[in-house]
Amino acid sequence: MAEENKKIGILYVSYDGMTDNLGQSQVIPYLQGLSKLGYSIHILSCEKAQVYKKRSAYISKLLEKSEIMWHPLQYTERPAVVSTLFDMHRMQNEAVKIISDFENNIQLLHCRSYISAHIGVFCKKKFHIPWIFDMRGFWADERVEGGLWDTKKTLYKIVYNYFKSAEKKFLADTNHIISLTENGANEIQSWESYQNMSRPISVIPCCADLNLFRISKKKSELLKKLHIEEDNFVLSYLGSFGTWYMTEEMFDFFKVLYEKNNNAIFLCITPDDPDMLDSIAIRKDIPRSALRVVKVNREDVPAYASLSDWSVFFIKPVYSKKASSPTKMGELLSLGIPIICNNEVGDVESIMKDCPEGFLVKDFSYEEYAQIAEKMLQTKTVDREMLRSVAEKYYSLEKGICLYEKVYKSLLNN
């Protein structure tokens, strides 16, 4: 542990905002834990104007309570590509200012994903400070496979090639690599670019705050609020739809479930547009009465997710998803909620082998959906404690914090 009167400064750089749900679930909880261990944490992030306006006061208070210093910049939305280059330049300048202002206190940079990695490379060269490449996945490949970059267009082909080249530079320049999955780490270690320099690599998944994700006592109140009866069978989905998440297939699965039990409700806990989800349900002949769409703040997610009998998520089984660790998986298992998901995504398949209940979809066919729906409806009791123990084994936030501190110590003691 860092001594109280000689706190070691860590600059955490994230292009994702702390007012985003992702920042609140996959950045702040870890840094709060590391701050308690005696580190002086600085966060440099880019915040989206609309959500920053709504949540900045709450996040500021949260971080102040943990003695974490926050240096937010405004995220630039347009024009595509140019806005990102502009933000990278601003983040680099702000990082230099933070390091200079706090003199020799910043001794380590923790860079989240590829945009932030540029700051790690620059600051290592300028200040001789070690940095961590916290990959979070194969970002450039994710953008292409998620349909965000169309490489048939010259601009995006250039951008993709640039980041694949930068990826090699990051791997060679960083002092430590963090992968979200064993599957992803194995893939990185197979790359010729990695084998030529063999940087240390650690696996730390998207962990869940098991203290936050507990079954809520507000169940009756929320059921009433959402017009859900006690005898309804609730299938939930948690998070945004689209991009890598297979919206059409998840609605198809619910339709099969509804055909077998017309008391089924599809509860979508999502920031997405309810009208968009309504239109999908209508197109698939799913009654509007069977759909519930709610948007809630992170601190309220456990209460709403606790209404679920089961939960579903399907993710495109593409190359980049070898490195993906679905945040929702640990959170749902923490609540003792059984899951229907698909294989060929990160370490999901191996983790599901430890779940006493739950199903892996492999071919997304009607027949497969029907078989799984039948088995779900026949399941009389769920071993929720066992599911929570799986979350504790793989997704414990405390274990994640310990693993991060282990990486910090290995670099700071060199």
Side-chain angles (χ1 to χ4, degrees):
M1 184 188 293
E3 294 176 15
E4 187 62 32
N5 59 346
K6 290 184 180 179
K7 286 189 175 184
I8 294 169
I10 310 293
L11 176 56
Y12 189 100
V13 186
S14 172
Y15 196 40
D16 295 305
M18 298 304 103
T19 50
D20 293 341
N21 285 334
L22 187 147
Q24 293 170 58
S25 67
Q26 288 305 308
V27 177
I28 292 174
Y30 299 94
L31 297 182
Q32 287 174 314
L34 288 162
S35 179
K36 285 179 183 176
L37 293 175
Y39 294 93
S40 177
I41 307 290
H42 295 253
I43 302 175
L44 170 58
S45 62
C46 277
E47 305 294 326
K48 298 172 186 69
Q50 191 174 0
V51 70
Y52 181 77
K53 187 178 179 181
K54 291 178 182 176
R55 298 288 283 169
S56 60
Y58 172 81
I59 297 300
S60 293
K61 230 176 248 188
L62 197 66
L63 295 175
E64 283 171 16
K65 191 176 178 183
S66 295
E67 299 183 344
I68 294 172
M69 283 155 278
W70 186 25
H71 310 264
L73 298 176
Q74 185 170 320
Y75 173 82
T76 309
E77 290 193 33
R78 294 182 182 85
V81 181
V82 174
S83 60
T84 303
L85 293 172
F86 178 64
D87 283 344
M88 282 167 54
H89 178 70
R90 291 166 60 234
M91 289 176 77
Q92 182 173 290
N93 288 344
E94 186 67 15
V96 168
K97 185 176 183 297
I98 293 165
I99 293 167
S100 300
D101 286 352
F102 289 89
E103 297 177 345
N104 297 322
N105 188 44
I106 305 295
Q107 297 181 39
L108 179 65
L109 266 71
H110 186 157
C111 300
R112 179 186 172 85
S113 195
Y114 288 50
I115 300 296
S116 301
H118 288 86
I119 287 84
V121 172
F122 179 84
C123 290
K124 181 178 181 179
K125 186 176 181 180
K126 184 174 178 64
F127 297 103
H128 307 289
I129 298 173
W131 70 283
I132 297 166
F133 182 25
D134 198 342
M135 290 183 74
R136 316 309 299 174
F138 304 154
W139 187 71
D141 295 293
E142 282 183 334
R143 307 293 285 183
V144 173
E145 292 174 342
L148 300 171
W149 290 352
D150 182 358
T151 50
K152 291 177 183 175
K153 295 178 180 177
T154 303
L155 175 62
Y156 287 111
K157 186 175 182 180
I158 291 169
V159 172
Y160 173 74
N161 289 336
Y162 168 79
F163 275 102
K164 288 303 287 183
S165 176
E167 183 178 70
K168 293 177 184 177
K169 184 178 181 180
F170 300 153
L171 293 171
D173 190 79
T174 188
N175 298 84
H176 202 107
I177 302 160
I178 293 176
S179 169
L180 293 174
T181 67
E182 295 288 350
N183 201 352
N186 291 339
E187 179 64 19
I188 294 164
Q189 289 165 340
S190 74
W191 296 345
E192 186 178 344
S193 57
Y194 175 84
Q195 292 169 357
N196 290 336
M197 42 64 186
S198 298
R199 289 285 182 266
I201 183 166
S202 298
V203 176
I204 307 177
C206 290
C207 296
D209 185 346
L210 273 67
N211 291 321
L212 176 64
F213 280 84
R214 293 182 177 278
I215 291 291
S216 171
K217 295 176 182 177
K218 298 180 180 178
K219 185 171 181 178
S220 297
E221 175 188 329
L222 293 180
L223 287 172
K224 186 176 180 180
K225 179 181 177 181
L226 296 177
H227 305 288
I228 298 174
E229 303 296 331
E230 290 283 353
D231 64 345
N232 284 128
F233 186 95
V234 180
L235 177 72
S236 70
Y237 173 77
L238 174 59
S240 297
F241 285 93
T243 316
W244 307 283
Y245 288 97
M246 303 170 72
T247 307
E248 296 289 325
E249 288 81 358
M250 287 188 280
F251 270 82
D252 287 339
F253 178 81
F254 176 75
K255 183 180 179 181
V256 173
L257 177 67
Y258 184 81
E259 286 172 357
K260 295 185 176 295
N261 181 348
N262 57 20
N263 258 342
I265 296 287
F266 194 15
L267 171 62
C268 302
I269 306 165
T270 178
D272 292 344
D273 180 8
D275 291 339
M276 182 267 288
L277 299 178
D278 276 352
S279 66
I280 295 171
I282 291 166
R283 176 160 50 80
K284 294 185 179 292
D285 294 324
I286 295 170
R288 179 60 186 85
S289 59
L291 185 66
R292 303 288 187 279
V293 181
V294 293
K295 179 180 180 179
V296 300
N297 292 325
R298 171 173 161 73
E299 59 269 24
D300 298 317
V301 168
Y304 282 85
S306 294
L307 305 180
S308 316
D309 291 296
W310 288 67
S311 196
V312 63
F313 64 85
F314 296 158
I315 300 173
K316 287 183 181 179
V318 290
Y319 169 76
S320 64
K321 290 296 134 183
K322 288 181 180 223
S324 177
S325 173
T327 304
K328 54 178 66 66
M329 186 171 192
E331 293 172 345
L332 292 163
L333 290 174
S334 298
L335 294 170
I337 297 167
I339 296 168
I340 309 101
C341 53
N342 60 292
N343 63 349
E344 296 184 45
V345 175
D347 297 333
V348 165
E349 190 168 357
S350 61
I351 293 168
M352 287 295 286
K353 288 177 182 176
D354 280 357
C355 294
E357 290 93 11
F359 297 99
L360 272 174
V361 168
K362 296 181 179 178
D363 61 17
F364 304 102
S365 67
Y366 177 90
E367 291 75 21
E368 187 179 29
Y369 294 164
Q371 287 178 4
I372 291 172
E374 287 279 5
K375 289 175 182 176
M376 286 166 58
L377 294 169
Q378 289 169 6
T379 302
K380 300 300 180 188
T381 58
V382 171
D383 191 342
R384 298 192 183 277
E385 288 302 318
M386 179 62 78
L387 291 174
R388 186 171 170 85
S389 73
V390 175
E392 290 168 348
K393 178 180 177 180
Y394 291 101
Y395 294 110
S396 162
L397 176 62
E398 285 71 24
K399 288 180 182 177
I401 291 166
C402 288
L403 289 170
Y404 274 118
E405 196 200 14
K406 186 178 178 182
V407 174
Y408 284 12
K409 282 184 173 179
S410 72
L411 297 178
L412 293 166
N413 293 335
N414 281 345

